[in-house]
Amino acid sequence: MGAAFFYHLTRQPLDVTLRSLLEKSLQQGWRVAVRGRTDDMLERLDAQLWLGPSGDEFLPHGRSGGPHDADQPILLTTAEAAANQPDCLVSVEGAAVSAPEVAALSRVMILFDGHDPAAVQTAREQWKSLTDAGAEAKYWSEESGRWEMKAQSGGRDGA
């Protein structure tokens, strides 16, 4: 059973944090789905993953709807079911995540902008919904300048 990791972004922008988490996920051998709510966001992330911060740090990925979706190590999608059969799901823009997904995947990551009150509220609602359904959740903050776990729910097994 996996866990939902909530990342409260207050220092680094989404693309920087996302790239770091995707690199670590690929190092674990995981296939990843990045779920957004809008095509505009996924288009922006697609461009950033192609080039990286210095212009030459491509991360292997694709946008959903292509002929090779099932082969993508990282698939950017708005769909609930990702064709690449991910081990890890990353939610951006408050994209929905369900407790059964948390249970079925190795990891779920929910990234939200700490400077956007609506995004913070959505993340709080997601935390409550997931933990009420028995999913394990961990809250990570970068407020101190580095990522630190600040809260944890026990999930069904009380871990």
Side-chain angles (χ1 to χ4, degrees):
M1 181 170 165
F5 284 36
F6 286 74
Y7 291 91
H8 189 164
L9 306 177
T10 55
R11 293 179 175 255
Q12 295 291 327
L14 171 64
D15 58 313
V16 172
T17 302
L18 178 63
R19 173 173 284 279
S20 174
L21 293 171
L22 291 174
E23 288 170 349
K24 290 176 182 179
S25 296
L26 292 177
Q27 289 169 1
Q28 290 289 323
W30 292 343
R31 289 170 127 357
V32 182
V34 177
R35 183 184 296 159
R37 294 176 62 171
T38 65
D39 285 328
D40 288 343
M41 171 62 81
L42 296 182
E43 186 175 314
R44 193 187 92 196
L45 294 176
D46 180 36
Q48 292 167 343
L49 293 177
W50 273 103
L51 297 176
S54 67
D56 62 355
E57 297 158 356
F58 167 76
L59 277 179
H61 71 282
R63 295 276 310 270
S64 65
H68 304 288
D69 286 1
D71 300 324
Q72 298 298 335
I74 300 169
L75 186 64
L76 307 176
T77 185
T78 57
E80 288 185 27
N84 68 339
Q85 298 182 352
D87 304 289
C88 176
L89 170 65
V90 179
S91 166
V92 298
E93 294 186 290
V97 174
S98 70
E101 286 177 307
V102 174
L105 298 169
S106 296
R107 175 86 36 92
V108 170
M109 299 179 223
I110 298 169
L111 283 60
F112 63 99
D113 182 349
H115 302 292
D116 178 350
V120 172
Q121 182 60 36
T122 297
R124 285 182 178 140
E125 291 166 4
Q126 286 177 309
W127 175 280
K128 181 165 179 24
S129 172
L130 292 173
T131 58
D132 284 354
E136 180 181 352
K138 298 179 181 185
Y139 167 76
W140 292 84
S141 170
E142 63 178 342
E143 196 69 48
S144 71
R146 62 184 185 85
W147 287 105
E148 296 176 333
M149 188 172 56
K150 297 291 189 175
Q152 178 174 342
S153 77
R156 287 189 204 279
D157 60 8

